[in-house]
């Protein structure tokens, strides 16, 4: 079974500073990885995903993430954040469909990014 | 517009009064799922459906029921709600279980 750990529950940062939100996963099979964002009082929206290929994945709103198989990590980064990036960010994993598993999405507990002026 | 809709968006009810939260998607997705979101716990899956008439339990199914009679609809039923089911509920759909999921706007349920 997979699991996802988001190492920081809250990350405060000043506007225009870089940010990294950390995500580690555990799985005995190949995985697909996702980052979702939830703005206040809204549903979840996909930021980016890794299915295969290049380990550096670019998403919407200037975010990117790097898949590191040896470290089982999928950290999310942005070089310069804006006030509007204030939201909760969720890392999620599903297995890549091998071995007859169901492949359901497992979410981390979320990281609240707070961007201050 | 491709979307997942949920109704109602907000609901306050009393313990034991049966309720249904509807979920509908217009993307012809095979896979649908229900989650609940609680502070500090992230999203936890309640039930999912791989296809019409195929449903299965997620991580926290106790106290909930679902049905999938049509591809587009996946209602969540609380037959006897209790205060510990007070939560924010999300419905999601996907082409299949392995890919990105599209989420509805959420239903905030309060059980008193």
């Amino acid at each position: 079974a997979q699991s996802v750990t988001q190492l920081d529950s809250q990350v405060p940062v000043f506007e225009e500073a870089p940010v990294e939100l950390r995500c580690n996963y555990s799985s005995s099979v190949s995985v697909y990885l996702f980052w979702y964002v939830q703005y206040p009082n809204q549903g979840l929206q996909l930021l980016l995903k890794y299915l295969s290929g290049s380990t550096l994945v670019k998403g919407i709103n200037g975010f990117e993430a790097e898949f590191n198989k040896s470290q089982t990590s999928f950290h999310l980064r942005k070089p310069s954040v804006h006030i509007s990036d204030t939201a909760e960010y969720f890392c999620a994993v599903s297995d890549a469909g091998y071995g007859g598993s169901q492949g359901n999405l497992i979410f981390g507990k979320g990281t609240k990014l707070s961007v201050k002026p | 517009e491709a979307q997942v809709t949920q109704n109602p968006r907000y609901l306050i009810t009393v313990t034991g009064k049966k309720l249904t939260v509807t979920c509908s998607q217009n993307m012809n997705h095979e896979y649908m799922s229900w989650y609940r979101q609680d502070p500090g716990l992230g999203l936890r899956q309640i039930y999912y459906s791989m296809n019409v008439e195929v449903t299965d339990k997620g991580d926290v199914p106790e106290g909930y029921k679902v049905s999938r009679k049509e591809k587009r609809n996946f209602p969540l039923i609380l037959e006897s709600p209790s205060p510990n089911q007070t939560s924010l509920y999300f419905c999601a759909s996907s082409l299949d279980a392995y890919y990105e999921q599209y989420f509805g706007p959420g239903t905030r349920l309060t059980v008193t």
Side-chain angles (χ1 to χ4, degrees):
Chain A
Q2 296 100 19
S3 67
V4 178
T5 302
Q6 291 184 242
L7 296 157
D8 305 295
S9 60
Q10 298 188 53
V11 173
V13 64
F14 287 106
E15 194 173 19
E16 298 184 5
V19 70
E20 178 179 81
L21 305 185
R22 297 180 293 168
C23 172
N24 286 89
Y25 69 93
S26 68
S27 177
S28 58
V29 298
S30 296
V31 295
Y32 297 147
L33 293 155
F34 307 85
W35 275 100
Y36 286 84
V37 60
Q38 184 180 30
Y39 297 105
N41 300 313
Q42 294 187 27
L44 278 76
Q45 177 184 354
L46 182 70
L47 263 183
L48 50 79
K49 61 187 176 187
Y50 171 79
L51 302 182
S52 65
S54 172
T55 57
L56 183 62
V57 180
K58 294 192 184 297
I60 62 172
N61 301 339
F63 284 92
E64 64 180 32
E66 185 155 21
F67 170 53
N68 188 319
K69 189 175 182 179
S70 63
Q71 297 188 8
T72 61
S73 68
F74 191 55
H75 301 333
L76 181 70
R77 301 185 183 100
K78 186 170 182 178
S80 176
V81 295
H82 303 288
I83 298 285
S84 59
D85 292 322
T86 294
E88 190 160 18
Y89 293 79
F90 292 93
C91 182
V93 62
S94 71
D95 70 65
Y98 304 115
S101 61
Q102 293 297 321
N104 294 314
L105 208 54
I106 306 296
F107 284 87
K109 293 184 178 181
T111 298
K112 289 185 178 176
L113 176 65
S114 175
V115 182
K116 303 175 188 304
Chain B
E1 179 190 355
Q3 60 182 347
V4 178
T5 56
Q6 295 179 227
N7 282 292
R9 294 288 313 279
Y10 302 91
L11 179 59
I12 300 174
T13 189
V14 296
T15 299
K17 186 177 181 182
K18 181 179 179 180
L19 65 92
T20 299
V21 184
T22 65
C23 172
S24 183
Q25 51 94 3
N26 62 1
M27 295 170 280
N28 202 36
H29 283 167
E30 300 285 342
Y31 179 89
M32 296 185 75
S33 182
W34 275 103
Y35 298 89
R36 60 177 290 173
Q37 183 181 19
D38 302 289
L41 297 178
L43 279 84
R44 294 178 293 166
Q45 189 178 53
I46 303 170
Y47 270 93
Y48 63 93
S49 170
M50 304 288 280
N51 209 330
V52 176
E53 302 291 3
V54 180
T55 64
D56 208 346
K57 296 177 181 178
D59 297 320
V60 288
E62 293 78 20
Y64 305 94
K65 285 178 58 177
V66 293
S67 69
R68 187 94 181 271
K69 294 184 169 52
E70 308 166 273
K71 197 177 209 181
R72 63 183 292 126
N73 295 323
F74 190 45
L76 179 70
I77 303 156
L78 285 71
E79 297 221 323
S80 184
S82 62
N84 65 10
Q85 293 178 297
T86 293
S87 187
L88 180 58
Y89 291 86
F90 288 101
C91 180
S93 73
S94 176
L95 281 172
D96 68 37
Y98 306 107
Y99 293 105
E100 65 193 272
Q101 295 188 16
Y102 295 83
F103 284 80
T107 295
R108 187 167 293 281
L109 172 66
T110 302
V111 183
T112 60

